[in-house]
Amino acid sequence: MGKAIIIAGTPGTGKTSITRLLVEKCGLQSVNLSDLAIEKGFIQYYDAERNTYVIDEEKLIDYLENMSRELEGHLVIQTHYPEIIPSDLVEAVFILRTNPLILEKRLMERNWSKRKINENVMAEILGVVAYNAVEAFGASKVYEIDTSNTKPEEVANLICSVIRGHTILEPGVRIDWLSILPPEEVFRFENYLGSED
Ligand SMILES: Nc1ncnc2c1ncn2[C@@H]1O[C@H](COP(=O)(O)OP(=O)(O)OP(=O)(O)O)[C@@H](O)[C@H]1O
Ligand SMILES: [Mg+2]
């Protein structure tokens, strides 16, 4: 059984806030996959057009495998691209989900461009992170948690309790924002395609 507990989700769904509390409450070690790659120089090159680093996945995974081998307990990994982590390293993947209209508000507080906000809200509407995780790890390891109307502390307590085996969640992906959003709201986010900013 793998030792990694993954906290995944679209940007703004609460990975960092929740992981910080989870580490405190549950006494675990954690890494942020992107920060770790940059900190350790596991980078292939900088993609100026997308304003992002292209990660050297092989080096990053080697490092994670060594780290989890040396650890006694679980290693919590926060990321929005969990699918690069080998499945045998992974015990459970918690996918944080947030109602797209609430997510939009959270992302607007970050002074991001409209295009970047819409791209990310659209990814949440389509469940990109959740479905990629199911494809990579199988539905039985994937647990969705709705963080739309909860406090980070409640979610951290829940995940801690699941890790300790005190709470049992049903695995799989069931959240479907498309079925509850008015179509005009979906079109509003879809309109980022082809926009410049
Ligand atoms: N139940 C909740 N769980 C987590 N965050 C919440 C919750 N309710 C509101 N928030 C707020 O949402 C924001 C989530 O931001 P956070 O930085 O944790 O997201 P993230 O998933 O780490 O994003 P990124 O991928 O960009 O790093 C915070 O401002 C947090 O206070
Ligand atoms: Mg974060």
Side-chain angles (χ1 to χ4, degrees):
M1 180 73 90
K3 282 205 269 180
I5 300 289
I6 301 183
I7 308 292
T10 309
T13 51
K15 298 180 293 296
T16 301
S17 327
I18 287 165
T19 302
R20 192 181 304 126
L21 293 166
L22 177 64
V23 160
E24 251 176 56
K25 287 169 190 291
C26 224
L28 299 168
Q29 284 220 41
S30 81
V31 291
N32 177 319
L33 214 49
S34 298
D35 292 354
L36 181 71
I38 294 168
E39 212 175 279
K40 300 286 174 192
F42 303 148
I43 300 294
Q44 286 183 9
Y45 60 92
Y46 178 70
D47 180 342
E49 203 173 301
R50 294 179 54 227
N51 188 21
T52 176
Y53 290 101
V54 176
I55 286 170
D56 187 332
E57 291 181 14
E58 212 171 301
K59 284 193 185 145
L60 182 59
I61 297 309
D62 277 354
Y63 186 90
L64 281 179
E65 280 175 338
N66 283 328
M67 193 173 177
S68 81
R69 208 172 293 131
E70 281 164 20
L71 266 185
E72 286 268 323
H74 289 106
L75 173 64
V76 180
I77 303 173
Q78 53 163 313
T79 175
H80 54 88
Y81 44 89
E83 59 276 7
I84 72 163
I85 301 168
S87 191
D88 60 355
L89 207 66
V90 175
E91 184 171 319
V93 186
F94 294 92
I95 309 282
L96 308 181
R97 304 296 308 267
T98 305
N99 180 299
L101 302 181
I102 294 175
L103 185 65
E104 182 190 27
K105 289 207 183 86
R106 287 190 199 166
L107 295 180
M108 276 179 5
E109 283 167 21
R110 293 182 174 189
N111 290 324
W112 281 6
S113 71
K114 185 125 191 76
R115 184 196 170 110
K116 192 169 174 187
I117 293 173
N118 285 1
E119 252 176 28
N120 281 288
V121 173
M122 202 60 199
E124 178 59 20
I125 291 175
L126 298 173
V128 172
V129 178
Y131 288 111
N132 283 345
V134 167
E135 203 172 304
F137 307 108
S140 64
K141 282 188 188 176
V142 175
Y143 301 91
E144 283 184 310
I145 300 181
D146 189 341
T147 71
S148 308
N149 299 300
T150 54
K151 292 199 182 79
E153 189 152 54
E154 284 171 58
V155 180
N157 283 338
L158 173 64
I159 295 176
C160 185
S161 177
V162 174
I163 293 172
R164 289 182 171 161
H166 300 159
T167 299
I168 299 196
L169 291 182
E170 206 183 316
V173 173
R174 275 173 294 275
I175 290 174
D176 177 13
W177 300 127
L178 270 176
S179 67
I180 61 161
L181 278 179
E184 61 272 21
E185 292 287 7
V186 179
F187 294 143
R188 194 160 65 76
F189 297 116
E190 205 183 27
N191 280 341
Y192 79 83
L193 293 166
S195 74
E196 288 297 314
D197 59 334

